[in-house]
């Protein structure tokens, strides 16, 4: 199986394993964003989130 990529608003952010292993975070501008996990061109899961200014949000992505 190929690597799982994390995408925010259609932009590649990195490998999902790196985020999980390092408990790595991302800084995004306040507003609504689409967070996806992809394997190649296939979208495995997609979540629309709203992030307010100065707020930290944890997202758990279920993967089978």
């Amino acid at each position: 199986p190929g690597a799982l990529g994390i995408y925010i608003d259609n932009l590649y952010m990195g490998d999902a394993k790196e985020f999980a292993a390092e408990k790595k975070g991302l800084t995004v501008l306040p507003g609504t964003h689409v967070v996806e996990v992809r394997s190649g061109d296939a979208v495995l899961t997609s979540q629309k989130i709203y992030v307010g200014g100065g707020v930290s949000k944890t997202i758990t992505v279920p993967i089978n």
Side-chain angles (χ1 to χ4, degrees):
L4 300 179
I6 301 292
Y7 290 78
I8 296 182
D9 300 331
N10 242 5
L11 297 174
Y12 179 72
M13 297 291 138
D15 188 292
K17 286 183 185 176
E18 293 176 20
F19 285 94
E22 300 172 19
K23 297 192 189 247
K24 195 165 141 183
L26 291 168
T27 301
V28 296
L29 294 173
T32 301
H33 301 280
V34 176
V35 179
E36 295 179 331
V37 177
R38 299 182 191 172
S39 177
D41 290 333
V43 176
L44 303 179
T45 186
S46 180
Q47 292 182 32
K48 184 181 271 189
I49 62 164
Y50 176 79
V51 180
V55 174
S56 177
K57 184 171 189 118
T58 300
I59 300 170
T60 302
V61 179
I63 297 294
N64 294 336

